[in-house]
Amino acid sequence: KEPWLLGHSNVSHEIEKEVEIWQAGIRPDARLKVLMKTYADGFSTADTDIVAQNGRIKIKLPAFSAYILKAES
């Protein structure tokens, strides 16, 4: 089974997070599929990928938002 990650922000401004995905058992060069992004006023299921570099990903989280990510095999 592929690991899942959840990133969230409960602050009133945009933040950028760097996440060490290897700690979740995800390959250092993995491609992660964004399954859903939520915002203070809605959500998106647009087909988006994030590619890890050196076991890390960077994501920008708008105010009061969340990302649901799934590592692809």
Side-chain angles (χ1 to χ4, degrees):
K1 293 186 176 188
E2 295 86 10
W4 293 57
L5 292 176
L6 172 67
H8 67 90
S9 167
N10 61 353
V11 296
S12 61
H13 57 276
E14 180 179 272
I15 59 173
E16 185 171 9
K17 291 280 190 176
E18 184 171 299
V19 181
E20 294 181 339
I21 62 168
W22 62 269
Q23 293 180 355
I26 301 173
R27 289 188 341 264
D29 61 344
R31 178 177 298 273
L32 291 97
K33 182 152 185 80
V34 179
L35 300 176
M36 180 177 280
K37 293 185 240 181
T38 65
Y39 309 99
D41 59 352
F43 68 95
S44 171
T45 57
D47 190 18
T48 310
D49 290 342
I50 298 174
V51 178
Q53 294 181 328
N54 298 321
R56 295 182 171 94
I57 60 169
K58 286 185 181 180
I59 56 174
K60 287 186 179 180
L61 294 158
F64 307 112
S65 65
Y67 274 57
I68 300 173
L69 307 159
K70 182 178 179 184
E72 297 184 338
S73 43

Short mmCIF file of all heavy atoms in Angstrom, two decimals:
data_model
loop_
_atom_site.label_atom_id
_atom_site.label_comp_id
_atom_site.label_asym_id
_atom_site.label_seq_id
_atom_site.Cartn_x
_atom_site.Cartn_y
_atom_site.Cartn_z
N LYS A 1 0.83 -1.18 0.00
CA LYS A 1 0.00 0.00 0.00
C LYS A 1 0.88 1.25 0.00
O LYS A 1 1.89 1.28 0.66
CB LYS A 1 -0.89 0.01 1.22
CG LYS A 1 -1.93 -1.08 1.22
CD LYS A 1 -2.87 -0.91 2.38
CE LYS A 1 -3.95 -1.95 2.30
NZ LYS A 1 -4.99 -1.75 3.27
N GLU A 2 0.43 2.26 -0.73
CA GLU A 2 1.16 3.51 -0.80
C GLU A 2 0.82 4.38 0.42
O GLU A 2 -0.32 4.46 0.82
CB GLU A 2 0.81 4.29 -2.08
CG GLU A 2 1.24 3.60 -3.35
CD GLU A 2 0.20 2.61 -3.85
OE1 GLU A 2 -0.92 2.59 -3.33
OE2 GLU A 2 0.53 1.84 -4.75
N PRO A 3 1.84 5.02 0.99
CA PRO A 3 1.60 5.91 2.12
C PRO A 3 0.83 7.17 1.72
O PRO A 3 0.90 7.63 0.58
CB PRO A 3 3.00 6.29 2.60
CG PRO A 3 3.92 5.28 2.01
CD PRO A 3 3.27 4.84 0.74
N TRP A 4 0.11 7.72 2.67
CA TRP A 4 -0.65 8.96 2.50
C TRP A 4 -0.05 10.01 3.42
O TRP A 4 0.48 9.70 4.47
CB TRP A 4 -2.10 8.75 2.91
CG TRP A 4 -2.87 7.83 2.04
CD1 TRP A 4 -2.56 6.52 1.75
CD2 TRP A 4 -4.07 8.10 1.34
NE1 TRP A 4 -3.50 5.99 0.93
CE2 TRP A 4 -4.45 6.94 0.67
CE3 TRP A 4 -4.87 9.22 1.24
CZ2 TRP A 4 -5.58 6.87 -0.11
CZ3 TRP A 4 -6.00 9.15 0.47
CH2 TRP A 4 -6.35 7.99 -0.21
N LEU A 5 -0.17 11.28 3.02
CA LEU A 5 0.26 12.39 3.85
C LEU A 5 -0.86 13.42 3.92
O LEU A 5 -1.62 13.58 2.96
CB LEU A 5 1.50 13.08 3.28
CG LEU A 5 2.81 12.32 3.29
CD1 LEU A 5 3.88 13.14 2.58
CD2 LEU A 5 3.25 12.02 4.70
N LEU A 6 -0.93 14.11 5.01
CA LEU A 6 -1.88 15.20 5.18
C LEU A 6 -1.11 16.41 5.65
O LEU A 6 -0.35 16.33 6.62
CB LEU A 6 -2.95 14.83 6.22
CG LEU A 6 -3.90 15.93 6.64
CD1 LEU A 6 -4.80 16.33 5.47
CD2 LEU A 6 -4.73 15.48 7.81
N GLY A 7 -1.26 17.52 4.94
CA GLY A 7 -0.68 18.79 5.36
C GLY A 7 -1.80 19.76 5.62
O GLY A 7 -2.78 19.79 4.88
N HIS A 8 -1.69 20.54 6.69
CA HIS A 8 -2.78 21.48 6.98
C HIS A 8 -2.25 22.78 7.56
O HIS A 8 -1.15 22.84 8.10
CB HIS A 8 -3.80 20.86 7.94
CG HIS A 8 -3.26 20.62 9.30
ND1 HIS A 8 -3.32 21.55 10.31
CD2 HIS A 8 -2.61 19.57 9.82
CE1 HIS A 8 -2.76 21.07 11.39
NE2 HIS A 8 -2.30 19.86 11.12
N SER A 9 -3.05 23.82 7.44
CA SER A 9 -2.73 25.13 7.97
C SER A 9 -3.96 25.67 8.68
O SER A 9 -5.04 25.72 8.10
CB SER A 9 -2.34 26.08 6.84
OG SER A 9 -2.31 27.41 7.31
N ASN A 10 -3.79 26.08 9.91
CA ASN A 10 -4.91 26.69 10.63
C ASN A 10 -4.59 28.13 11.02
O ASN A 10 -5.06 28.64 12.03
CB ASN A 10 -5.29 25.86 11.87
CG ASN A 10 -4.16 25.75 12.86
OD1 ASN A 10 -3.05 26.18 12.58
ND2 ASN A 10 -4.43 25.17 14.01
N VAL A 11 -3.79 28.79 10.18
CA VAL A 11 -3.45 30.19 10.39
C VAL A 11 -4.10 31.04 9.30
O VAL A 11 -4.50 30.53 8.25
CB VAL A 11 -1.92 30.42 10.43
CG1 VAL A 11 -1.30 29.70 11.61
CG2 VAL A 11 -1.26 29.98 9.15
N SER A 12 -4.17 32.34 9.51
CA SER A 12 -4.90 33.23 8.60
C SER A 12 -4.06 33.81 7.47
O SER A 12 -4.46 34.78 6.84
CB SER A 12 -5.53 34.38 9.41
OG SER A 12 -4.51 35.13 10.05
N HIS A 13 -2.91 33.20 7.18
CA HIS A 13 -2.07 33.65 6.07
C HIS A 13 -1.41 32.43 5.41
O HIS A 13 -1.36 31.35 6.00
CB HIS A 13 -1.00 34.63 6.56
CG HIS A 13 -0.14 34.06 7.65
ND1 HIS A 13 -0.50 34.08 8.97
CD2 HIS A 13 1.06 33.43 7.60
CE1 HIS A 13 0.43 33.48 9.70
NE2 HIS A 13 1.39 33.08 8.89
N GLU A 14 -0.93 32.63 4.19
CA GLU A 14 -0.27 31.54 3.47
C GLU A 14 1.05 31.18 4.15
O GLU A 14 1.77 32.05 4.63
CB GLU A 14 0.00 31.96 2.02
CG GLU A 14 0.69 30.88 1.21
CD GLU A 14 0.93 31.29 -0.23
OE1 GLU A 14 0.03 31.08 -1.05
OE2 GLU A 14 2.00 31.85 -0.50
N ILE A 15 1.33 29.88 4.18
CA ILE A 15 2.61 29.41 4.70
C ILE A 15 3.21 28.41 3.71
O ILE A 15 2.49 27.81 2.91
CB ILE A 15 2.48 28.76 6.09
CG1 ILE A 15 1.52 27.57 6.07
CG2 ILE A 15 2.07 29.77 7.14
CD1 ILE A 15 1.46 26.78 7.37
N GLU A 16 4.52 28.27 3.74
CA GLU A 16 5.20 27.26 2.94
C GLU A 16 5.81 26.25 3.89
O GLU A 16 6.46 26.62 4.86
CB GLU A 16 6.27 27.88 2.06
CG GLU A 16 6.92 26.88 1.13
CD GLU A 16 7.84 27.52 0.09
OE1 GLU A 16 8.11 28.72 0.19
OE2 GLU A 16 8.27 26.79 -0.80
N LYS A 17 5.57 24.98 3.62
CA LYS A 17 6.08 23.90 4.45
C LYS A 17 7.03 23.03 3.65
O LYS A 17 6.80 22.75 2.47
CB LYS A 17 4.94 23.01 4.95
CG LYS A 17 4.03 23.65 5.95
CD LYS A 17 4.67 23.61 7.30
CE LYS A 17 3.68 24.02 8.36
NZ LYS A 17 4.20 23.91 9.68
N GLU A 18 8.09 22.60 4.30
CA GLU A 18 8.98 21.59 3.72
C GLU A 18 8.80 20.34 4.58
O GLU A 18 8.95 20.39 5.80
CB GLU A 18 10.43 22.05 3.74
CG GLU A 18 11.34 21.06 3.07
CD GLU A 18 12.74 21.60 2.88
OE1 GLU A 18 12.89 22.61 2.17
OE2 GLU A 18 13.68 21.00 3.44
N VAL A 19 8.45 19.24 3.93
CA VAL A 19 8.13 18.00 4.64
C VAL A 19 9.14 16.93 4.25
O VAL A 19 9.38 16.70 3.07
CB VAL A 19 6.70 17.52 4.29
CG1 VAL A 19 6.36 16.24 5.03
CG2 VAL A 19 5.69 18.61 4.58
N GLU A 20 9.71 16.28 5.25
CA GLU A 20 10.64 15.17 5.02
C GLU A 20 9.81 13.90 4.87
O GLU A 20 9.39 13.30 5.85
CB GLU A 20 11.63 15.06 6.17
CG GLU A 20 12.55 16.25 6.26
CD GLU A 20 13.56 16.15 7.38
OE1 GLU A 20 13.34 15.39 8.33
OE2 GLU A 20 14.56 16.85 7.27
N ILE A 21 9.58 13.50 3.63
CA ILE A 21 8.67 12.38 3.35
C ILE A 21 9.27 11.03 3.68
O ILE A 21 8.54 10.08 3.92
CB ILE A 21 8.18 12.41 1.89
CG1 ILE A 21 9.36 12.26 0.93
CG2 ILE A 21 7.41 13.68 1.61
CD1 ILE A 21 8.96 11.99 -0.49
N TRP A 22 10.57 10.93 3.72
CA TRP A 22 11.21 9.64 4.02
C TRP A 22 10.80 9.15 5.40
O TRP A 22 10.76 7.96 5.66
CB TRP A 22 12.72 9.74 3.90
CG TRP A 22 13.35 10.71 4.86
CD1 TRP A 22 13.59 12.04 4.63
CD2 TRP A 22 13.77 10.45 6.19
NE1 TRP A 22 14.15 12.62 5.74
CE2 TRP A 22 14.27 11.66 6.73
CE3 TRP A 22 13.79 9.33 7.00
CZ2 TRP A 22 14.76 11.78 8.01
CZ3 TRP A 22 14.29 9.44 8.28
CH2 TRP A 22 14.77 10.64 8.78
N GLN A 23 10.44 10.06 6.31
CA GLN A 23 10.02 9.65 7.65
C GLN A 23 8.70 8.90 7.62
O GLN A 23 8.38 8.17 8.56
CB GLN A 23 9.91 10.87 8.57
CG GLN A 23 11.24 11.51 8.84
CD GLN A 23 11.15 12.73 9.75
OE1 GLN A 23 10.07 13.17 10.10
NE2 GLN A 23 12.29 13.26 10.12
N ALA A 24 7.93 9.07 6.54
CA ALA A 24 6.67 8.35 6.38
C ALA A 24 6.87 7.07 5.55
O ALA A 24 5.90 6.43 5.16
CB ALA A 24 5.64 9.24 5.71
N GLY A 25 8.13 6.73 5.26
CA GLY A 25 8.41 5.52 4.49
C GLY A 25 8.25 5.71 2.99
O GLY A 25 8.08 4.73 2.26
N ILE A 26 8.31 6.95 2.53
CA ILE A 26 8.15 7.26 1.11
C ILE A 26 9.53 7.43 0.48
O ILE A 26 10.43 8.05 1.08
CB ILE A 26 7.30 8.53 0.93
CG1 ILE A 26 5.92 8.33 1.58
CG2 ILE A 26 7.17 8.89 -0.55
CD1 ILE A 26 5.07 9.59 1.61
N ARG A 27 9.70 6.88 -0.73
CA ARG A 27 10.98 6.98 -1.44
C ARG A 27 11.44 8.44 -1.57
O ARG A 27 10.61 9.33 -1.78
CB ARG A 27 10.86 6.40 -2.84
CG ARG A 27 10.71 4.92 -2.92
CD ARG A 27 10.78 4.41 -4.38
NE ARG A 27 10.55 5.41 -5.40
CZ ARG A 27 9.35 5.64 -6.00
NH1 ARG A 27 8.30 4.95 -5.64
NH2 ARG A 27 9.23 6.54 -6.93
N PRO A 28 12.74 8.70 -1.50
CA PRO A 28 13.25 10.07 -1.56
C PRO A 28 12.96 10.79 -2.88
O PRO A 28 12.96 12.01 -2.93
CB PRO A 28 14.76 9.91 -1.38
CG PRO A 28 14.95 8.57 -0.78
CD PRO A 28 13.79 7.73 -1.19
N ASP A 29 12.70 10.03 -3.95
CA ASP A 29 12.43 10.64 -5.26
C ASP A 29 10.99 10.40 -5.72
O ASP A 29 10.69 10.46 -6.91
CB ASP A 29 13.40 10.08 -6.30
CG ASP A 29 13.25 8.57 -6.47
OD1 ASP A 29 12.64 7.91 -5.59
OD2 ASP A 29 13.74 8.04 -7.48
N ALA A 30 10.11 10.17 -4.78
CA ALA A 30 8.73 9.79 -5.10
C ALA A 30 7.94 10.92 -5.75
O ALA A 30 8.24 12.10 -5.58
CB ALA A 30 8.01 9.33 -3.83
N ARG A 31 6.92 10.50 -6.47
CA ARG A 31 5.92 11.43 -7.01
C ARG A 31 4.68 11.25 -6.15
O ARG A 31 4.22 10.14 -5.94
CB ARG A 31 5.61 11.10 -8.46
CG ARG A 31 4.56 11.98 -9.09
CD ARG A 31 4.38 11.64 -10.57
NE ARG A 31 5.59 11.87 -11.32
CZ ARG A 31 5.95 13.03 -11.87
NH1 ARG A 31 5.18 14.08 -11.72
NH2 ARG A 31 7.06 13.14 -12.55
N LEU A 32 4.15 12.36 -5.64
CA LEU A 32 2.96 12.31 -4.79
C LEU A 32 1.80 12.96 -5.53
O LEU A 32 1.93 14.05 -6.07
CB LEU A 32 3.20 13.03 -3.46
CG LEU A 32 4.19 12.31 -2.55
CD1 LEU A 32 5.57 12.89 -2.70
CD2 LEU A 32 3.73 12.37 -1.14
N LYS A 33 0.69 12.28 -5.54
CA LYS A 33 -0.52 12.77 -6.19
C LYS A 33 -1.32 13.57 -5.17
O LYS A 33 -1.57 13.11 -4.07
CB LYS A 33 -1.35 11.62 -6.71
CG LYS A 33 -2.59 12.03 -7.43
CD LYS A 33 -2.96 10.98 -8.44
CE LYS A 33 -4.13 11.42 -9.27
NZ LYS A 33 -3.76 12.32 -10.33
N VAL A 34 -1.71 14.78 -5.55
CA VAL A 34 -2.57 15.60 -4.69
C VAL A 34 -4.00 15.14 -4.96
O VAL A 34 -4.56 15.37 -6.03
CB VAL A 34 -2.41 17.10 -5.00
CG1 VAL A 34 -3.33 17.92 -4.10
CG2 VAL A 34 -0.96 17.53 -4.83
N LEU A 35 -4.59 14.46 -3.98
CA LEU A 35 -5.95 13.96 -4.14
C LEU A 35 -6.98 15.04 -3.87
O LEU A 35 -8.03 15.08 -4.53
CB LEU A 35 -6.19 12.78 -3.20
CG LEU A 35 -5.28 11.58 -3.42
CD1 LEU A 35 -5.57 10.52 -2.37
CD2 LEU A 35 -5.46 11.02 -4.82
N MET A 36 -6.70 15.91 -2.92
CA MET A 36 -7.63 16.99 -2.60
C MET A 36 -6.89 18.13 -1.92
O MET A 36 -5.96 17.90 -1.15
CB MET A 36 -8.75 16.49 -1.69
CG MET A 36 -9.76 17.58 -1.34
SD MET A 36 -11.12 16.98 -0.32
CE MET A 36 -12.13 16.22 -1.59
N LYS A 37 -7.31 19.35 -2.26
CA LYS A 37 -6.87 20.55 -1.56
C LYS A 37 -8.12 21.22 -1.04
O LYS A 37 -9.09 21.37 -1.77
CB LYS A 37 -6.18 21.53 -2.50
CG LYS A 37 -4.88 21.07 -3.07
CD LYS A 37 -4.25 22.18 -3.88
CE LYS A 37 -4.07 21.75 -5.31
NZ LYS A 37 -3.46 22.77 -6.14
N THR A 38 -8.11 21.60 0.23
CA THR A 38 -9.25 22.34 0.78
C THR A 38 -8.81 23.75 1.12
O THR A 38 -7.64 23.99 1.42
CB THR A 38 -9.83 21.66 2.03
OG1 THR A 38 -8.86 21.71 3.08
CG2 THR A 38 -10.21 20.22 1.76
N TYR A 39 -9.75 24.65 1.05
CA TYR A 39 -9.52 26.06 1.35
C TYR A 39 -10.60 26.53 2.32
O TYR A 39 -11.57 25.82 2.56
CB TYR A 39 -9.58 26.90 0.07
CG TYR A 39 -8.71 26.38 -1.04
CD1 TYR A 39 -9.24 25.60 -2.06
CD2 TYR A 39 -7.35 26.65 -1.05
CE1 TYR A 39 -8.44 25.12 -3.08
CE2 TYR A 39 -6.54 26.16 -2.07
CZ TYR A 39 -7.09 25.40 -3.08
OH TYR A 39 -6.29 24.91 -4.07
N ALA A 40 -10.44 27.73 2.82
CA ALA A 40 -11.43 28.28 3.75
C ALA A 40 -12.81 28.34 3.10
O ALA A 40 -13.83 28.20 3.78
CB ALA A 40 -11.00 29.66 4.22
N ASP A 41 -12.85 28.49 1.77
CA ASP A 41 -14.13 28.66 1.10
C ASP A 41 -14.42 27.62 0.02
O ASP A 41 -15.24 27.83 -0.86
CB ASP A 41 -14.22 30.05 0.49
CG ASP A 41 -13.10 30.32 -0.51
OD1 ASP A 41 -12.18 29.48 -0.62
OD2 ASP A 41 -13.13 31.36 -1.18
N GLY A 42 -13.75 26.48 0.06
CA GLY A 42 -14.02 25.45 -0.94
C GLY A 42 -12.94 24.38 -0.99
O GLY A 42 -12.15 24.23 -0.07
N PHE A 43 -12.91 23.66 -2.13
CA PHE A 43 -11.93 22.60 -2.30
C PHE A 43 -11.66 22.38 -3.77
O PHE A 43 -12.38 22.87 -4.64
CB PHE A 43 -12.42 21.30 -1.65
CG PHE A 43 -13.59 20.66 -2.34
CD1 PHE A 43 -13.40 19.67 -3.28
CD2 PHE A 43 -14.89 21.07 -2.06
CE1 PHE A 43 -14.48 19.09 -3.93
CE2 PHE A 43 -15.97 20.49 -2.69
CZ PHE A 43 -15.76 19.50 -3.63
N SER A 44 -10.61 21.59 -4.06
CA SER A 44 -10.24 21.25 -5.43
C SER A 44 -9.77 19.80 -5.46
O SER A 44 -9.07 19.35 -4.56
CB SER A 44 -9.12 22.15 -5.92
OG SER A 44 -8.63 21.69 -7.17
N THR A 45 -10.18 19.09 -6.52
CA THR A 45 -9.67 17.74 -6.77
C THR A 45 -8.93 17.70 -8.10
O THR A 45 -8.82 16.66 -8.72
CB THR A 45 -10.82 16.71 -6.76
OG1 THR A 45 -11.79 17.10 -7.75
CG2 THR A 45 -11.46 16.62 -5.40
N ALA A 46 -8.41 18.86 -8.53
CA ALA A 46 -7.66 18.95 -9.78
C ALA A 46 -6.48 17.99 -9.76
O ALA A 46 -5.86 17.77 -8.72
CB ALA A 46 -7.18 20.38 -10.01
N ASP A 47 -6.18 17.40 -10.90
CA ASP A 47 -5.10 16.43 -11.03
C ASP A 47 -3.75 17.14 -10.94
O ASP A 47 -3.34 17.82 -11.88
CB ASP A 47 -5.25 15.69 -12.35
CG ASP A 47 -4.32 14.51 -12.46
OD1 ASP A 47 -3.81 14.04 -11.43
OD2 ASP A 47 -4.11 14.03 -13.60
N THR A 48 -3.06 16.99 -9.82
CA THR A 48 -1.78 17.65 -9.59
C THR A 48 -0.82 16.67 -8.94
O THR A 48 -1.23 15.82 -8.16
CB THR A 48 -1.96 18.85 -8.62
OG1 THR A 48 -3.02 19.66 -9.07
CG2 THR A 48 -0.71 19.68 -8.53
N ASP A 49 0.46 16.79 -9.28
CA ASP A 49 1.50 15.96 -8.68
C ASP A 49 2.56 16.86 -8.05
O ASP A 49 2.78 17.99 -8.49
CB ASP A 49 2.20 15.09 -9.72
CG ASP A 49 1.33 13.99 -10.26
OD1 ASP A 49 0.32 13.66 -9.61
OD2 ASP A 49 1.67 13.44 -11.31
N ILE A 50 3.22 16.34 -7.03
CA ILE A 50 4.37 16.99 -6.42
C ILE A 50 5.50 15.97 -6.45
O ILE A 50 5.32 14.83 -6.02
CB ILE A 50 4.08 17.41 -4.97
CG1 ILE A 50 2.95 18.44 -4.93
CG2 ILE A 50 5.34 17.96 -4.31
CD1 ILE A 50 2.50 18.80 -3.53
N VAL A 51 6.66 16.36 -6.96
CA VAL A 51 7.80 15.45 -7.04
C VAL A 51 8.78 15.79 -5.91
O VAL A 51 9.16 16.94 -5.73
CB VAL A 51 8.50 15.56 -8.41
CG1 VAL A 51 9.72 14.65 -8.47
CG2 VAL A 51 7.53 15.24 -9.53
N ALA A 52 9.16 14.77 -5.17
CA ALA A 52 10.09 14.95 -4.06
C ALA A 52 11.51 15.11 -4.57
O ALA A 52 11.87 14.58 -5.63
CB ALA A 52 10.02 13.75 -3.13
N GLN A 53 12.29 15.85 -3.83
CA GLN A 53 13.71 16.00 -4.11
C GLN A 53 14.47 15.74 -2.82
O GLN A 53 14.19 16.40 -1.80
CB GLN A 53 14.02 17.39 -4.65
CG GLN A 53 13.39 17.65 -6.00
CD GLN A 53 13.74 19.04 -6.51
OE1 GLN A 53 13.91 19.97 -5.75
NE2 GLN A 53 13.83 19.15 -7.82
N ASN A 54 15.38 14.79 -2.85
CA ASN A 54 16.20 14.45 -1.69
C ASN A 54 15.35 14.12 -0.46
O ASN A 54 15.67 14.51 0.66
CB ASN A 54 17.17 15.58 -1.36
CG ASN A 54 18.14 15.84 -2.49
OD1 ASN A 54 18.61 14.92 -3.14
ND2 ASN A 54 18.41 17.10 -2.74
N GLY A 55 14.22 13.43 -0.68
CA GLY A 55 13.39 13.01 0.43
C GLY A 55 12.52 14.09 1.03
O GLY A 55 11.98 13.92 2.13
N ARG A 56 12.35 15.21 0.30
CA ARG A 56 11.55 16.33 0.82
C ARG A 56 10.61 16.86 -0.26
O ARG A 56 10.91 16.79 -1.44
CB ARG A 56 12.45 17.47 1.26
CG ARG A 56 13.34 17.14 2.42
CD ARG A 56 14.16 18.37 2.80
NE ARG A 56 14.86 18.18 4.03
CZ ARG A 56 16.10 17.75 4.12
NH1 ARG A 56 16.78 17.45 3.03
NH2 ARG A 56 16.68 17.60 5.30
N ILE A 57 9.49 17.40 0.19
CA ILE A 57 8.59 18.14 -0.69
C ILE A 57 8.34 19.50 -0.07
O ILE A 57 8.44 19.68 1.15
CB ILE A 57 7.25 17.42 -0.93
CG1 ILE A 57 6.49 17.21 0.39
CG2 ILE A 57 7.45 16.12 -1.68
CD1 ILE A 57 5.06 16.75 0.21
N LYS A 58 8.03 20.47 -0.92
CA LYS A 58 7.64 21.80 -0.46
C LYS A 58 6.22 22.05 -0.96
O LYS A 58 5.92 21.82 -2.13
CB LYS A 58 8.56 22.88 -1.02
CG LYS A 58 9.91 22.91 -0.37
CD LYS A 58 10.72 24.08 -0.88
CE LYS A 58 12.09 24.10 -0.23
NZ LYS A 58 12.90 25.22 -0.70
N ILE A 59 5.37 22.51 -0.04
CA ILE A 59 4.01 22.87 -0.43
C ILE A 59 3.65 24.22 0.17
O ILE A 59 4.09 24.56 1.28
CB ILE A 59 2.97 21.81 -0.01
CG1 ILE A 59 3.01 21.53 1.48
CG2 ILE A 59 3.13 20.53 -0.79
CD1 ILE A 59 1.91 20.61 1.96
N LYS A 60 2.90 25.01 -0.61
CA LYS A 60 2.38 26.28 -0.12
C LYS A 60 0.94 26.04 0.30
O LYS A 60 0.13 25.54 -0.47
CB LYS A 60 2.44 27.35 -1.20
CG LYS A 60 3.82 27.84 -1.46
CD LYS A 60 3.82 29.01 -2.42
CE LYS A 60 5.24 29.48 -2.65
NZ LYS A 60 5.31 30.61 -3.57
N LEU A 61 0.66 26.38 1.54
CA LEU A 61 -0.68 26.19 2.09
C LEU A 61 -1.34 27.54 2.28
O LEU A 61 -0.85 28.37 3.05
CB LEU A 61 -0.60 25.47 3.44
CG LEU A 61 -0.09 24.03 3.38
CD1 LEU A 61 0.45 23.61 4.73
CD2 LEU A 61 -1.21 23.12 2.95
N PRO A 62 -2.44 27.78 1.58
CA PRO A 62 -3.18 29.03 1.81
C PRO A 62 -3.75 29.04 3.23
O PRO A 62 -3.73 28.02 3.93
CB PRO A 62 -4.32 28.96 0.78
CG PRO A 62 -3.88 27.97 -0.23
CD PRO A 62 -3.01 26.99 0.51
N ALA A 63 -4.28 30.16 3.64
CA ALA A 63 -4.89 30.27 4.97
C ALA A 63 -5.98 29.22 5.14
O ALA A 63 -6.76 28.97 4.21
CB ALA A 63 -5.49 31.66 5.14
N PHE A 64 -6.01 28.59 6.30
CA PHE A 64 -7.05 27.62 6.67
C PHE A 64 -7.29 26.58 5.56
O PHE A 64 -8.36 26.48 4.98
CB PHE A 64 -8.36 28.33 7.02
CG PHE A 64 -8.18 29.40 8.05
CD1 PHE A 64 -8.32 30.73 7.74
CD2 PHE A 64 -7.83 29.05 9.35
CE1 PHE A 64 -8.15 31.71 8.70
CE2 PHE A 64 -7.65 30.03 10.33
CZ PHE A 64 -7.81 31.37 10.00
N SER A 65 -6.25 25.81 5.26
CA SER A 65 -6.31 24.87 4.14
C SER A 65 -5.72 23.52 4.53
O SER A 65 -5.14 23.37 5.60
CB SER A 65 -5.55 25.43 2.94
OG SER A 65 -4.17 25.54 3.25
N ALA A 66 -5.86 22.57 3.62
CA ALA A 66 -5.25 21.25 3.83
C ALA A 66 -4.99 20.59 2.46
O ALA A 66 -5.65 20.89 1.48
CB ALA A 66 -6.19 20.36 4.64
N TYR A 67 -3.99 19.70 2.45
CA TYR A 67 -3.68 18.89 1.28
C TYR A 67 -3.77 17.44 1.71
O TYR A 67 -3.30 17.07 2.79
CB TYR A 67 -2.23 19.12 0.83
CG TYR A 67 -1.99 20.27 -0.10
CD1 TYR A 67 -2.35 21.56 0.22
CD2 TYR A 67 -1.36 20.05 -1.32
CE1 TYR A 67 -2.08 22.62 -0.62
CE2 TYR A 67 -1.09 21.10 -2.18
CZ TYR A 67 -1.45 22.39 -1.82
OH TYR A 67 -1.18 23.42 -2.66
N ILE A 68 -4.31 16.60 0.84
CA ILE A 68 -4.25 15.15 1.02
C ILE A 68 -3.42 14.61 -0.13
O ILE A 68 -3.76 14.81 -1.31
CB ILE A 68 -5.66 14.52 1.02
CG1 ILE A 68 -6.50 15.10 2.17
CG2 ILE A 68 -5.54 12.99 1.16
CD1 ILE A 68 -7.94 14.66 2.15
N LEU A 69 -2.32 13.93 0.20
CA LEU A 69 -1.38 13.43 -0.79
C LEU A 69 -1.23 11.92 -0.67
O LEU A 69 -1.28 11.37 0.44
CB LEU A 69 0.00 14.06 -0.57
CG LEU A 69 0.07 15.58 -0.49
CD1 LEU A 69 1.32 16.02 0.22
CD2 LEU A 69 0.03 16.15 -1.89
N LYS A 70 -1.01 11.28 -1.81
CA LYS A 70 -0.78 9.84 -1.83
C LYS A 70 0.46 9.56 -2.66
O LYS A 70 0.56 10.02 -3.79
CB LYS A 70 -1.99 9.11 -2.43
CG LYS A 70 -1.85 7.62 -2.44
CD LYS A 70 -3.09 6.97 -3.00
CE LYS A 70 -2.94 5.47 -3.03
NZ LYS A 70 -4.09 4.83 -3.67
N ALA A 71 1.39 8.81 -2.09
CA ALA A 71 2.61 8.46 -2.81
C ALA A 71 2.27 7.46 -3.91
O ALA A 71 1.52 6.51 -3.69
CB ALA A 71 3.64 7.86 -1.86
N GLU A 72 2.81 7.70 -5.10
CA GLU A 72 2.59 6.76 -6.21
C GLU A 72 3.71 5.75 -6.24
O GLU A 72 4.85 6.06 -5.93
CB GLU A 72 2.51 7.53 -7.53
CG GLU A 72 1.34 8.48 -7.57
CD GLU A 72 1.19 9.18 -8.90
OE1 GLU A 72 2.18 9.28 -9.67
OE2 GLU A 72 0.08 9.65 -9.18
N SER A 73 3.37 4.52 -6.61
CA SER A 73 4.39 3.46 -6.65
C SER A 73 5.12 3.45 -7.95
O SER A 73 4.87 4.13 -8.85
CB SER A 73 3.75 2.12 -6.38
OG SER A 73 2.55 1.95 -7.06
#
